[in-house]
Amino acid sequence: MNDGTGRVDLRFTVEETERSVRVPPGVTVFDAASWNGIAIDSTCGGHGTCHKCKVRVEGSTPITRHDVKTFTRDQLDDGWRLACLVNATRDLAVDVPPLTTRPKAATVGVGRQVILRPAIQKRYVELDEPTLADQRTDLDRLLAAIDDLEPVADLHVLRRLPAVLRAADFKVTAVVVDEALIDVEPGDTTGTQYAIAFDLGTTTVVATLLDVATGTPVAVASMLNRQQPFGGDVITRISATMMDPEALARLQLAASESLSTLAIQVCTEGGVDPAHVYEVAIAGNATMTALLLGIDPEPLGVAPFIMSSPQPPDVLASELGLALHPRARATLFPALGAYVGGDIVAGMLASGMDRDKRTRLFIDVGTNCEIVLSDGDRILSTAAPAGPAFEGGAIRCGMRAADGAIEVVKLAETVELGVIGDVEPRGLCGSGLVDAVAELVKVGLLDASGRYVTDDVAKELAPGLADRLTTLSSDRGEERVFVLHRPSPDAEPEDCVVLTQRDVRELQFAKAAISTGWTLLLEELGLEHRDVQQVLLAGSFGSYLSAASAVRIGLVPKLPVLRIVAAGNVAGEGAKMALLSVRERAGARALLEEVTYVELSDRPEFNDRFVDQLGF
Amino acid sequence: MNDGTGRVDLRFTVEETERSVRVPPGVTVFDAASWNGIAIDSTCGGHGTCHKCKVRVEGSTPITRHDVKTFTRDQLDDGWRLACLVNATRDLAVDVPPLTTRPKAATVGVGRQVILRPAIQKRYVELDEPTLADQRTDLDRLLAAIDDLEPVADLHVLRRLPAVLRAADFKVTAVVVDEALIDVEPGDTTGTQYAIAFDLGTTTVVATLLDVATGTPVAVASMLNRQQPFGGDVITRISATMMDPEALARLQLAASESLSTLAIQVCTEGGVDPAHVYEVAIAGNATMTALLLGIDPEPLGVAPFIMSSPQPPDVLASELGLALHPRARATLFPALGAYVGGDIVAGMLASGMDRDKRTRLFIDVGTNCEIVLSDGDRILSTAAPAGPAFEGGAIRCGMRAADGAIEVVKLAETVELGVIGDVEPRGLCGSGLVDAVAELVKVGLLDASGRYVTDDVAKELAPGLADRLTTLSSDRGEERVFVLHRPSPDAEPEDCVVLTQRDVRELQFAKAAISTGWTLLLEELGLEHRDVQQVLLAGSFGSYLSAASAVRIGLVPKLPVLRIVAAGNVAGEGAKMALLSVRERAGARALLEEVTYVELSDRPEFNDRFVDQLGF
């Protein structure tokens, strides 16, 4: 059952293997599975029309009209449902049948269906052997048999070609990635076509091993970015390169090792030979991309914030230190600006910002917050410097979203906390911070200006909570705090998990920066709050924010909470899409032309709007 | 003066430096200089019209009407002439004035004038510095300033770009090769634009360092191919790779070392920093090209003689082991067939086989002899297996064209020999062999079937020479020989330089293979001998053959000797053209479509024609 943290646990059983995942409530079982690399049949993209995503759910679950069309009475009684129509509002155990169809399309991103047309293409051919009357070169002979592709052969292939053709009696599989013939393998190897999608985050790196022939995720793994020791955010890492001439090489190595470690892990888990991975796609912000490629990031970190190039060059995966197929390609996402990077472009792709005709606002919340607004015609983007509050920085009891972090706060008669790992609370992560402030505003302990009320007012408005409002002395001086968790009844405030007046100010500044960003973008397109039909909260942090709290503190426009959607790890999803469809990949590059980047820092109206947005 | 070897010595003095070269008589002073990397002003391509190729020649030399238009009476008396109009019929000392103009065209190949449009292009730009109002990326900023080129930047450049731009106050030189932006150099470096043309021969490797901005050769060097220890011809080298799995790697290394050694040598001689060499072009036969690239050559060596690909991939010079600019490009010539390789395609380019409207026959004489016939419309090519006779193999006293080799033979009352190095004769090189047989046929000591006449007939026809016709016993049995050189009056025949009956047979087979080749090509185009307006004898061997002897033994069609032209090292010239002009380079690739390769070995009429061609 729901443990009160606002997340639900889904326990998937796939061919006798169990796998548990935690997702925000309301996510469909199909999406929850897809985000976590668990493949469920589907060709319609989760719209309830293909009737393929059959799963068996334990316990009672609502039956939709599509379920009635799909299953017999006995099957419905037995718990069979279409996964795309089951909302995970509580903990669920889900049986997933093995894949029965080889799909022509895959569902990725925010409910996007992608027709499979990967850059990786394998073709098995049986060639005529050469004779004195047919002296075509080995390459011409092979290319004639795959003449719809017209790839260019690189030296690696030409070195192998004569021997492989003759050893395999001229029965071989051509391996093409994009425009390049990267290998010729003896016999028919069309069954093994893999790629890895990387979300190269500043904090966390995620890898998904994909079977690109079916669009199926085979394994997923994640880890902390090994660049962490150089600093928690992009600015400290850029500073490191400015202070130490060797730091760039070490940061590059750390990024490369992060990718390598995950690549080995997903291949091992998926039982896939790394030599059968022919392409990787990497979505990262401009700084992560520069550091991975060994490009000096200094101009990204100082005004006027200049990138080396909008589109990183296509390189070999081996140049990034990845031991996959020796000629595997690596494709990196383009960036719109120094602070609207490849991760956001991937996210825009995954959320269909360029396709959807609705007016939508995309917000990736973090130290640097990226905002994209589309009215279905024009697309604007900007970056807002939110500061480290959401990642626990500059917050007295702030911490990352790890075990012991309070991630959900509800205040009524008393305090109800959701804690990651169900352990003793140790601190407050970003979503807990937003919840705590939103709830304190709701019960009246914080006024509209963001100031804690006096003890008298507190006792009147929230008698059950007033005694938690107290004063704490520290090297930062004396300040009012609200005690969220007291480890023992007589613990002093300094030993408790508290929210200080200064913490509230930090969050106020952060949310003001963000809301000033989307306010100016809305003004630019002549739109009102109510015109926004959907808000996508993206990124590993944004996806876990409570929609109600985000609305209450003004982080997002004042809209019905149903219009506010957790979009999940859209950067990683965008990377998967780029691997599964060259059309989608081209779409990502086209965004460079389609999206207008708006620089806010030199706008005269910025400060005025910022002050408007400070209050709750 | 001419020492009787058929070659002349030219002693060039350029800015107080002396340089001696040896060329066949009749070559113009301009061509002799050009072939040897000595730059003389010219814009007309050696046609006597630009009046720029002024040199001072010692001793009396004919004055042409162009000389009269160009020089004053005093200058003419002082020896000033136009170099393109002076035929080197005797040894000459030539003063070359320093270059005064920066030519827009260069003369290379067989009198071909090439408009300079190298793949290497440098552009000096002064860029606006970025501001918050102009946040274009570094690359976009640079590309906008060179927007006629639209090159693609590789990772190497993107890594350097931010730091170089800022260190150089945004005043930089873009280095573009073909479609690639390979570097950005601080300041204005447009004065240094170098490339190296390589003729990668089975026996000899030649490198020419070129200033591509002016078309000027800066230095030339040559050496024996370091693959020599694996065998003298391509078949023995291919066999080596079939017998020893490590031989391919060692042959590749040997080729790479040959190129490297010469690259260092020409850069040192030319006073050029190797990092300022941005491109190399390599002309080699199909086997040399495969070995250099590390491609298994076995299918080239066994029927049905199949290449890996017609066009070798473009690679980095560093991938071939060359320590030039780290991103310098290497371009290799395409091949028409396993035995009509990139050296011949380069030679066709240099001799204008695809442009000239005359009916021309191109013959590169060697162990494998390549033949190209053009009627100004269609172009045919073929290969004839001539065997090792021309390179001294299977000839009793055969040797390469080195010191001590007889290279010219004249028979009249007595024997007149031209010997390389003017030393005691040690053996007979290919041109000496052809001369010897031709002269023996002329004086009647060899009959039309190629058999030595009896002593009686010899005494009657050539009384002064008859005593040189004798008999020699060896492990090959007893055979008739003609003594060309007797080291001492009482030397036994086995200690003399002789031409044996078997040697004559070897040459007969070789010339029959070649003449059968061009006979069948002429038949294919419906042409007679007399229709051929020019015969180009190419390659380091062909260029030194006596035209008269070649006609006499039937190696070339029976034509006036003036129609038979020594074309020089056309492979190396073609490589230079490819570096100086992307148009010419494209022309070389177009030859793949324009030239029809004719395989002779499966022709039913081959043997019949071959027997026809055996006699003299």
Side-chain angles (χ1 to χ4, degrees):
Chain A
M1 300 298 288
N2 191 333
D3 62 4
T5 63
R7 312 256 186 113
V8 296
D9 272 321
L10 299 183
R11 202 170 70 252
F12 289 97
T13 308
V14 189
E15 302 189 63
E16 300 183 13
T17 310
E18 269 201 11
R19 175 93 182 281
S20 279
V21 304
R22 272 173 113 231
V23 295
V27 163
T28 70
V29 167
F30 184 83
D31 282 347
S34 168
W35 293 355
N36 287 282
I38 295 160
I40 299 180
D41 269 348
S42 173
T43 55
C44 77
H47 291 98
T49 55
C50 76
H51 297 190
K52 291 217 167 101
C53 58
K54 301 173 185 177
V55 294
R56 204 171 65 78
V57 182
E58 273 174 36
S60 122
T61 308
I63 297 171
T64 68
R65 63 192 174 88
H66 292 291
D67 289 317
V68 173
K69 282 187 196 164
T70 310
F71 299 107
T72 65
R73 187 70 249 170
D74 283 353
Q75 286 176 317
L76 291 172
D77 288 348
D78 202 28
W80 285 94
R81 297 287 184 279
L82 293 174
C84 68
L85 298 172
V86 180
N87 290 305
T89 50
R90 58 179 177 88
D91 294 356
L92 292 172
V94 182
D95 277 350
V96 180
L99 289 180
T100 52
T101 54
R102 186 182 161 101
K104 294 270 182 296
T107 303
V108 286
V110 183
R112 298 209 52 201
Q113 194 191 13
V114 172
I115 305 296
L116 295 178
R117 175 54 188 84
I120 300 171
Q121 297 210 65
K122 281 194 167 186
R123 295 288 174 82
Y124 173 65
V125 293
E126 301 188 353
L127 305 175
D128 294 330
E129 299 200 12
T131 62
L132 280 175
D134 173 10
Q135 290 181 317
R136 281 177 300 164
T137 67
D138 287 346
L139 183 64
D140 285 342
R141 188 174 304 278
L142 177 66
L143 293 184
I146 53 169
D147 62 354
D148 56 321
L149 294 182
E150 300 188 353
V152 175
D154 66 18
L155 180 54
H156 172 85
V157 175
L158 294 178
R159 282 181 179 155
R160 285 169 53 81
L161 190 58
V164 170
L165 281 181
R166 286 161 184 82
D169 290 330
F170 289 83
K171 297 179 176 67
V172 296
T173 301
V175 187
V176 175
V177 178
D178 221 350
E179 311 284 294
L181 178 69
I182 69 161
D183 209 349
V184 178
E185 298 172 334
D188 184 352
T189 65
T190 50
T192 52
Q193 306 189 30
Y194 297 98
I196 300 177
F198 288 105
D199 166 22
L200 177 58
T202 309
T203 305
T204 307
V205 187
V206 185
T208 305
L209 177 65
L210 283 175
D211 180 340
V212 297
T214 63
T216 315
V218 178
V220 182
S222 69
M223 66 184 289
L224 285 182
N225 190 325
R226 291 217 175 151
Q227 293 176 340
Q228 286 284 345
F230 293 85
D233 55 48
V234 299
I235 292 298
T236 52
R237 294 191 202 161
I238 293 172
S239 304
T241 67
M242 291 161 68
M243 258 129 44
D244 173 1
E246 287 177 13
L248 174 56
R250 287 160 60 208
L251 281 158
Q252 186 184 7
L253 183 64
S256 160
E257 284 176 351
S258 304
L259 300 185
S260 277
T261 305
L262 290 175
I264 293 165
Q265 201 172 323
V266 291
C267 285
T268 306
E269 271 180 31
V272 166
D273 181 344
H276 294 146
V277 176
Y278 303 102
E279 195 180 34
V280 304
I282 301 166
N285 64 44
T287 304
M288 287 306 107
T289 300
L291 292 175
L292 175 66
L293 293 173
I295 297 171
D296 179 7
E298 180 172 341
L300 297 170
V302 296
F305 314 115
I306 304 298
M307 292 191 293
S308 176
S309 73
Q311 173 63 56
D314 286 335
V315 295
L316 295 180
S318 62
E319 293 179 78
L320 304 178
L322 291 167
L324 303 169
H325 184 279
R327 303 299 291 179
R329 265 41 182 181
T331 183
L332 290 98
F333 275 84
L336 295 167
Y339 290 96
V340 181
D343 51 346
I344 301 306
V345 172
M348 290 169 71
L349 189 69
S351 51
M353 288 302 285
D354 56 335
R355 303 282 174 91
D356 205 303
K357 287 292 153 203
R358 291 175 291 177
T359 295
R360 296 162 95 210
L361 182 61
F362 172 104
I363 306 177
D364 190 317
V365 185
T367 303
N368 181 64
C369 178
E370 296 91 352
I371 304 165
V372 183
L373 175 68
S374 167
D375 64 0
D377 180 28
R378 290 182 64 196
I379 312 177
L380 304 184
S381 77
T382 192
F390 293 114
E391 286 169 3
I395 302 296
R396 181 182 163 89
C397 297
M399 66 179 286
R400 283 195 313 102
D403 279 0
I406 297 168
E407 59 173 354
V408 178
V409 177
K410 284 195 196 311
L411 303 183
E413 293 307 297
T414 176
V415 174
E416 224 180 291
L417 301 177
V419 180
I420 299 177
D422 290 330
V423 297
E424 170 94 15
R426 293 194 296 118
L428 199 58
C429 71
S431 59
L433 173 68
V434 173
D435 260 14
V437 172
E439 293 286 299
L440 286 164
V441 169
K442 188 185 73 178
V443 299
L445 293 184
L446 281 172
D447 68 19
S449 78
R451 172 175 291 275
Y452 278 121
V453 294
T454 61
D455 289 347
D456 292 348
V457 175
K459 274 182 191 127
E460 191 178 321
L461 291 178
L465 300 170
D467 64 324
R468 290 177 174 253
L469 203 55
T470 176
T471 299
L472 181 139
S473 294
S474 73
D475 50 0
R476 303 202 300 187
E478 190 164 278
E479 59 178 331
R480 300 269 278 165
V481 302
F482 181 82
V483 177
L484 286 161
H485 174 69
R486 207 184 294 272
S488 60
D490 53 354
E492 292 296 317
E494 50 265 42
D495 300 322
C496 297
V497 179
V498 299
L499 182 76
T500 72
Q501 181 65 60
R502 246 191 217 92
D503 293 345
V504 176
R505 295 297 184 215
E506 287 288 339
L507 182 66
Q508 273 182 284
F509 273 84
K511 79 102 187 176
I514 294 169
S515 54
T516 302
W518 50 255
T519 299
L520 287 170
L521 293 190
L522 285 170
E523 284 177 15
E524 191 85 14
L525 292 185
L527 297 173
E528 307 282 339
H529 284 204
R530 64 172 180 275
D531 296 327
V532 177
Q533 293 167 279
Q534 190 174 51
V535 178
L536 296 158
L537 286 172
S540 58
F541 176 70
S543 298
Y544 290 119
L545 275 185
S546 146
S549 297
V551 171
R552 190 166 297 125
I553 69 162
L555 188 63
V556 300
K558 298 250 178 281
L559 293 170
V561 290
L562 281 175
R563 290 200 201 166
I564 295 159
V565 175
N569 170 15
V570 284
E573 291 295 307
K576 281 153 74 174
M577 284 173 71
L579 292 171
L580 295 180
S581 164
V582 288
R583 242 181 88 219
E584 298 294 343
R585 188 182 305 189
R589 299 200 175 186
L591 283 170
L592 287 190
E593 303 299 323
E594 293 163 12
V595 179
T596 308
Y597 178 73
V598 179
E599 175 65 42
L600 296 183
S601 59
D602 62 346
R603 291 250 164 164
E605 68 269 39
F606 183 85
N607 289 343
D608 193 35
R609 292 293 181 288
F610 184 83
V611 173
D612 282 353
Q613 299 292 337
L614 270 174
F616 294 116
Chain B
M1 299 301 288
N2 191 333
D3 60 4
T5 65
R7 311 256 187 113
V8 295
D9 272 320
L10 299 184
R11 202 170 70 252
F12 289 97
T13 308
V14 189
E15 301 188 64
E16 299 183 13
T17 309
E18 269 203 13
R19 175 97 182 280
S20 278
V21 305
R22 277 174 108 229
V23 294
V27 163
T28 70
V29 167
F30 183 82
D31 283 346
S34 169
W35 295 354
N36 289 282
I38 296 160
I40 299 180
D41 269 347
S42 173
T43 53
C44 76
H47 291 98
T49 55
C50 77
H51 298 189
K52 292 220 164 100
C53 58
K54 301 174 183 175
V55 295
R56 204 172 64 78
V57 182
E58 274 174 35
S60 119
T61 308
I63 296 172
T64 68
R65 64 192 173 87
H66 291 293
D67 290 318
V68 174
K69 283 186 197 165
T70 310
F71 301 106
T72 64
R73 188 70 249 170
D74 282 352
Q75 286 176 318
L76 291 170
D77 287 346
D78 201 27
W80 286 94
R81 296 288 184 279
L82 293 175
C84 69
L85 299 172
V86 180
N87 290 305
T89 51
R90 57 176 178 89
D91 294 353
L92 293 173
V94 182
D95 275 350
V96 181
L99 290 180
T100 52
T101 54
R102 187 183 161 102
K104 294 270 180 296
T107 305
V108 286
V110 184
R112 298 210 50 201
Q113 194 192 14
V114 173
I115 305 296
L116 295 178
R117 174 54 188 85
I120 300 171
Q121 297 211 65
K122 280 194 167 187
R123 295 289 174 81
Y124 173 65
V125 293
E126 301 188 354
L127 306 175
D128 294 330
E129 298 201 11
T131 62
L132 281 175
D134 173 12
Q135 288 182 317
R136 282 176 301 164
T137 67
D138 288 346
L139 183 64
D140 286 341
R141 189 174 304 276
L142 176 66
L143 293 183
I146 53 170
D147 62 354
D148 56 322
L149 294 182
E150 300 189 354
V152 174
D154 67 17
L155 180 54
H156 171 85
V157 175
L158 294 179
R159 282 182 179 153
R160 285 169 53 80
L161 190 56
V164 170
L165 281 181
R166 286 162 184 82
D169 290 330
F170 290 82
K171 297 180 176 65
V172 295
T173 301
V175 187
V176 175
V177 178
D178 221 349
E179 311 284 295
L181 177 69
I182 70 161
D183 210 347
V184 179
E185 297 173 336
D188 184 352
T189 65
T190 50
T192 52
Q193 307 188 30
Y194 297 98
I196 301 178
F198 288 105
D199 165 23
L200 177 58
T202 309
T203 306
T204 307
V205 186
V206 185
T208 306
L209 176 65
L210 284 175
D211 180 340
V212 296
T214 63
T216 316
V218 179
V220 182
S222 67
M223 66 185 288
L224 286 182
N225 189 325
R226 291 218 176 151
Q227 294 176 337
Q228 286 284 345
F230 293 83
D233 55 51
V234 298
I235 292 298
T236 52
R237 294 191 203 163
I238 294 173
S239 304
T241 67
M242 293 162 68
M243 262 135 36
D244 173 0
E246 286 177 14
L248 174 56
R250 286 160 61 209
L251 280 158
Q252 187 184 4
L253 183 65
S256 161
E257 285 176 351
S258 304
L259 299 185
S260 275
T261 305
L262 290 175
I264 293 166
Q265 202 172 324
V266 291
C267 284
T268 306
E269 270 180 34
V272 167
D273 181 343
H276 293 147
V277 177
Y278 304 101
E279 194 180 34
V280 304
I282 301 166
N285 64 44
T287 303
M288 287 306 108
T289 301
L291 292 176
L292 175 66
L293 293 173
I295 296 171
D296 179 8
E298 180 172 341
L300 297 170
V302 294
F305 314 114
I306 303 299
M307 289 192 292
S308 175
S309 73
Q311 172 63 55
D314 286 336
V315 295
L316 295 180
S318 62
E319 293 179 77
L320 304 178
L322 291 167
L324 304 168
H325 184 280
R327 304 298 291 180
R329 263 44 182 178
T331 184
L332 291 98
F333 275 84
L336 296 166
Y339 289 96
V340 182
D343 51 344
I344 301 307
V345 172
M348 289 168 72
L349 189 70
S351 52
M353 289 302 286
D354 55 337
R355 303 281 174 91
D356 204 303
K357 287 292 152 202
R358 290 175 291 177
T359 295
R360 295 162 96 209
L361 182 61
F362 171 105
I363 306 178
D364 189 317
V365 185
T367 303
N368 181 65
C369 178
E370 295 91 354
I371 305 166
V372 182
L373 175 67
S374 167
D375 64 1
D377 181 25
R378 291 181 62 195
I379 312 178
L380 304 183
S381 76
T382 193
F390 293 114
E391 285 169 4
I395 301 296
R396 182 182 162 88
C397 297
M399 66 179 286
R400 282 194 314 103
D403 278 1
I406 298 169
E407 58 172 354
V408 178
V409 177
K410 288 199 193 308
L411 304 183
E413 294 307 296
T414 177
V415 175
E416 222 181 292
L417 301 178
V419 180
I420 299 178
D422 291 329
V423 297
E424 170 95 15
R426 294 193 296 119
L428 198 60
C429 70
S431 58
L433 173 68
V434 172
D435 260 14
V437 172
E439 293 286 297
L440 286 165
V441 170
K442 187 186 76 179
V443 299
L445 294 183
L446 280 173
D447 68 19
S449 77
R451 173 175 291 274
Y452 278 121
V453 296
T454 60
D455 289 345
D456 292 347
V457 176
K459 274 184 192 126
E460 192 178 322
L461 291 178
L465 300 171
D467 65 324
R468 289 176 174 253
L469 204 53
T470 177
T471 299
L472 180 142
S473 294
S474 72
D475 49 3
R476 305 201 299 187
E478 190 163 278
E479 60 179 329
R480 298 271 278 169
V481 303
F482 181 82
V483 176
L484 286 161
H485 173 70
R486 209 184 295 269
S488 60
D490 52 354
E492 293 296 316
E494 52 266 40
D495 301 321
C496 297
V497 179
V498 299
L499 182 75
T500 73
Q501 180 65 59
R502 247 191 216 91
D503 294 342
V504 177
R505 294 300 182 211
E506 285 289 338
L507 182 66
Q508 271 182 285
F509 273 84
K511 79 101 186 177
I514 294 170
S515 54
T516 303
W518 50 254
T519 299
L520 287 170
L521 292 189
L522 284 170
E523 284 177 15
E524 191 85 14
L525 291 185
L527 297 172
E528 307 280 340
H529 284 204
R530 63 171 179 276
D531 295 326
V532 177
Q533 292 167 281
Q534 189 173 52
V535 178
L536 296 159
L537 287 172
S540 57
F541 176 71
S543 299
Y544 290 120
L545 276 184
S546 144
S549 296
V551 171
R552 192 167 294 126
I553 68 162
L555 188 63
V556 299
K558 299 246 178 282
L559 293 169
V561 291
L562 280 176
R563 290 201 202 166
I564 295 159
V565 175
N569 171 14
V570 284
E573 290 295 306
K576 281 154 72 172
M577 285 173 72
L579 291 171
L580 295 180
S581 163
V582 288
R583 241 181 89 219
E584 297 293 344
R585 188 182 305 190
R589 299 200 174 186
L591 283 170
L592 288 190
E593 305 298 324
E594 293 164 11
V595 179
T596 307
Y597 178 73
V598 180
E599 175 65 45
L600 297 181
S601 59
D602 61 348
R603 291 251 166 164
E605 67 268 39
F606 183 86
N607 288 345
D608 192 35
R609 292 292 181 289
F610 184 83
V611 173
D612 282 353
Q613 299 291 338
L614 270 174
F616 294 115

